Amino acid sequence: MLVNKRISPRALSPEEKENRKAGVYDSFANYLVFCPKCSHPIKTNMYIQSAESYIEKLNAQRKPCHVCGECEWTLGYPMGSKTGFVKF
């Protein structure tokens, strides 16, 4: 799987998480899935439902991060972005 190594991920803010729980999200945004311990992105440029489904699958399979070995994945954006669209 190819991932842009120049991406530094950030977790969704508490406000963004609350909005998501309420069904509010940017349908045009590009989300990413990453390890919250070491910030390694495993997959980028995903729509919200695809990213959430992928996280569920990785966590259910206890898929470890190949950088730090943790088995926890989370949803986020590239650092400095609220839409996932950034120029590298």
Side-chain angles (χ1 to χ4, degrees), residues 3-86:
V3 174
N4 188 328
K5 295 189 187 304
R6 294 181 286 177
I7 294 174
S8 295
R10 72 163 179 86
L12 297 182
S13 70
E15 180 183 356
E16 290 166 335
K17 288 178 183 177
E18 286 301 314
N19 285 342
R20 180 62 190 129
K21 285 181 189 175
V24 177
Y25 62 96
D26 183 347
S27 63
F28 294 103
N30 283 323
Y31 294 86
L32 55 86
V33 175
F34 72 101
C35 172
K37 182 175 181 187
C38 70
S39 297
H40 171 72
I42 191 168
K43 198 162 184 182
T44 59
N45 298 325
M46 302 180 76
Y47 290 116
I48 186 76
Q49 291 87 354
S50 297
E52 290 172 337
S53 175
Y54 190 59
I55 289 168
E56 286 178 17
K57 178 181 170 185
L58 292 171
N59 287 334
Q61 294 175 349
R62 300 291 301 150
K63 171 91 172 162
C65 173
H66 70 270
V67 174
C68 71
E70 287 293 312
C71 296
E72 183 180 340
W73 300 98
T74 194
L75 181 67
Y77 284 126
M79 192 68 71
S81 172
K82 291 190 176 207
T83 63
F85 295 104
V86 293

